[in-house]
């Protein structure tokens, strides 16, 4: 707010006016904020509460306390799903980050056709995984091109029908569908790297790896932390590609935590146990994110 002279008042009057403006702004923001709280945190709180009860499709509710979590610890299928999810995450996230970085370095500078290549690399991100998964089912089949390509290495046959090779096949599809997102984020972050530093290093005789390690990489550390958390969260929640390509098979070799949650909730209608799986998944994702914060995102 300004006075008749066009200048903002100073001193106590300015503070009173600032508080009044802040209250008015909060009134405008409040409806959207309440909707955000209701639809973002409401289901999460309800999920935690549901994990403490037995709730079936008829609407009957019975208190169970921590029984579902005790059942979770004793359930071998949960540990199988956890192992599958961890293996997928451990391999898919680093491969995706490395591939995103390599692609971002390749197309970060404007050159003839750079926009075309960026679009092609980003295309899998906006492609329906249901459609892509259906195509990859044929690619990884015994008569598909992947089998023909891997046959000289002794890895022919249907990868989706092998308990050993099904997870590598899922990782390939997962990385294919995600690396373009990280690439675009890294390209945007690389635009903030001072060009003068790279030019000075080039004059001093630094090669490409030395310039990346000493100049570009330090500037990308917050971005890598962001991508690590986002990609890890997405990897822990892998479901759609598994649902389309393997349905958790063969012999539960690709059975993930979210697929376990889906089966318990929507196949067996054991909503309380499914909610307990969701709570456990959230807790593990949070712990991993905190570890990543300490390892990658720690700033001086």
């Amino acid at each position: 707010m300004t006075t008749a002279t066009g200048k903002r008042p100073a001193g106590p009057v300015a503070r009173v006016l600032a508080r009044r403006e802040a209250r008015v702004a909060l009134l405008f923001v409040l409806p959207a904020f309440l909707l955000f709280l209701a639809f973002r945190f409401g289901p999460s709180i309800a999920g935690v509460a549901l994990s403490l009860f037995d709730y079936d499709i008829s609407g009957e509710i019975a208190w169970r306390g921590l029984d579902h979590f005790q059942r979770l610890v004793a359930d071998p299928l949960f540990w199988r799903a956890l192992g599958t999810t961890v293996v997928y995450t451990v391999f898919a996230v680093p491969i995706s980050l490395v591939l995103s970085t390599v692609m971002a370095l390749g197309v970060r500078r404007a050159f003839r056709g750079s926009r075309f290549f960026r679009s092609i690399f980003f295309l899998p991100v906006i492609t329906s995984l249901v459609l892509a998964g259906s195509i990859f089912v044929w690619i990884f089949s015994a008569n598909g091109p992947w089998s023909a390509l891997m046959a000289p290495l002794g890895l022919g046959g249907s990868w989706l029908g092998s308990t050993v090779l099904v997870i590598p096949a899922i990782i390939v599809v997962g990385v294919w569908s995600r690396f373009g997102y990280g690439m675009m984020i890294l390209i945007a972050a690389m635009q903030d790297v001072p060009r003068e530093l790279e030019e000075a290093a080039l004059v001093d005789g630094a090669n490409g790896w030395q310039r990346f390690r000493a100049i570009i990489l330090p500037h990308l550390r917050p971005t890598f932390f962001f991508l690590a958390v986002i990609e890890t969260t997405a990897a822990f929640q892998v479901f759609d590609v598994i649902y389309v390509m393997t349905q958790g098979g063969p012999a539960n070799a690709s059975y993930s935590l979210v697929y376990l949650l889906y089966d318990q909730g929507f196949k067996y209608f054991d909503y309380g146990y499914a909610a307990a799986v969701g709570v456990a998944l959230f807790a593990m994702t949070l712990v991993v994110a905190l570890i990543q914060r300490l390892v990658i995102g720690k700033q001086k």
Side-chain angles (χ1 to χ4, degrees):
M1 184 178 295
T2 59
T3 62
T5 60
K7 298 180 179 180
R8 294 185 65 88
V13 177
R15 290 193 291 271
V16 171
L17 293 176
R19 286 195 294 267
R20 183 181 301 173
E21 291 178 353
R23 286 194 292 268
V24 173
L26 287 175
L27 287 176
F28 281 100
V29 173
L30 186 60
F33 181 67
L34 292 177
L35 286 174
F36 172 79
L37 288 180
F39 288 97
R40 181 65 183 88
F41 294 103
S44 301
I45 296 173
V48 174
L50 185 60
S51 67
L52 305 176
F53 292 86
D54 259 347
Y55 177 82
D56 58 35
I57 197 170
S58 66
E60 296 183 1
I61 301 178
W63 171 259
R64 286 293 180 267
L66 299 179
D67 288 354
H68 288 310
F69 295 97
Q70 294 174 353
R71 173 185 167 190
L72 203 66
V73 174
D75 187 355
L77 190 57
F78 167 76
W79 294 107
R80 180 67 179 268
L82 176 60
T84 299
T85 304
V86 169
V87 170
Y88 174 84
T89 303
V90 166
F91 286 96
V93 173
I95 293 173
S96 180
L97 290 178
V98 171
L99 188 58
S100 298
T101 304
V102 172
M103 294 302 182
L105 289 171
V107 298
R108 67 182 179 125
R109 301 297 186 195
F111 59 88
R112 189 177 183 87
S114 61
R115 293 184 179 180
F116 170 77
F117 286 109
R118 291 179 185 179
S119 301
I120 292 298
F121 294 150
F122 187 74
L123 188 61
V125 180
I126 59 175
T127 301
S128 169
L129 263 184
V130 175
L131 174 61
S134 301
I135 297 174
F136 275 106
V137 168
W138 167 72
I139 291 175
F140 286 112
S141 67
N143 299 321
W146 187 263
S147 177
L149 183 65
M150 295 290 107
L153 302 178
L155 299 175
S158 173
W159 278 38
L160 300 182
S162 168
T163 57
V164 176
L165 298 176
V166 64
I167 291 300
I170 298 295
I171 290 173
V172 169
V173 180
V175 171
W176 172 84
S177 67
R178 296 289 305 179
F179 83 90
Y181 173 78
M183 180 198 71
M184 297 303 293
I185 298 295
L186 288 170
I187 289 175
M190 289 177 185
Q191 305 305 316
D192 294 332
V193 178
R195 187 69 178 270
E196 297 79 9
L197 294 179
E198 291 189 69
E199 292 175 349
L202 186 62
V203 171
D204 289 340
N207 57 35
W209 167 248
Q210 291 171 331
R211 294 197 303 272
F212 172 77
R213 185 184 60 183
I215 298 174
I216 299 177
L217 189 58
H219 284 84
L220 297 181
R221 189 170 185 176
T223 307
F224 276 125
F225 167 63
F226 168 77
L227 286 177
V229 173
I230 293 297
E231 295 299 327
T232 301
T233 303
F236 265 96
Q237 296 176 357
V238 60
F239 169 76
D240 40 10
V241 63
I242 293 177
Y243 180 81
V244 174
M245 295 177 63
T246 66
Q247 293 80 47
N252 293 332
S254 61
Y255 204 75
S256 68
L257 282 175
V258 177
Y259 206 94
L260 172 64
L261 188 155
Y262 168 80
D263 265 358
Q264 296 298 323
F266 297 99
K267 186 176 180 180
Y268 304 116
F269 303 109
D270 193 348
Y271 298 120
Y273 188 57
V277 176
V279 172
L281 178 61
F282 168 77
M284 287 183 286
T285 305
L286 180 61
V287 170
V288 172
L290 293 175
I291 294 174
Q292 290 173 328
R293 175 69 177 87
L294 294 175
V295 175
I296 305 174
K298 187 176 181 181
Q299 299 294 323
K300 293 182 178 180

